[in-house]
């Protein structure tokens, strides 16, 4: 299986784990954030990172930084 296929196939569980770790291991600030807010942010960042890694496309990362 290629990296792109792995990252796409496991998108949902990877995002869920990222959120879990933000809420439990990073800081009190993240633990107070609503799960849906983190899901929106983490999903956007995940997709933006994927665009960079797979397509050398920085536009989504740039848009997220501006947001």
């Amino acid at each position: 299986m290629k990296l792109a296929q792995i990252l796409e196939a496991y998108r949902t569980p990877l995002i869920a784990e990222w959120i879990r770790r933000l809420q439990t291991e990073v800081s009190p600030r993240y633990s107070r954030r609503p799960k849906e807010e983190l899901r929106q942010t983490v999903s956007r960042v995940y997709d933006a990172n994927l665009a960079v890694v797979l397509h050398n496309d920085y536009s989504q990362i740039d848009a997220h930084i501006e947001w």
Side-chain angles (χ1 to χ4, degrees):
M1 189 179 273
K2 293 183 178 185
L3 178 60
Q5 293 171 312
I6 294 168
L7 293 173
E8 290 170 8
Y10 291 96
R11 181 182 184 273
T12 299
L14 287 169
I15 289 170
E17 179 64 15
W18 191 347
I19 292 166
R20 185 192 70 74
R21 288 179 183 232
L22 282 173
Q23 290 186 314
T24 61
E25 299 176 13
V26 177
S27 73
R29 188 183 89 173
Y30 281 112
S31 65
R32 291 190 298 264
R33 292 303 209 202
K35 197 170 204 170
E36 191 49 46
E37 177 186 319
L38 289 175
R39 185 176 321 283
Q40 177 185 10
T41 303
V42 170
S43 295
R44 288 179 69 182
V45 172
Y46 186 92
D47 293 340
N49 284 328
L50 209 62
V52 171
V53 170
L54 299 179
H55 308 292
N56 200 32
D57 175 5
Y58 287 80
S59 63
Q60 291 181 50
I61 277 279
D62 291 341
H64 185 73
I65 291 168
E66 286 185 35
W67 176 69

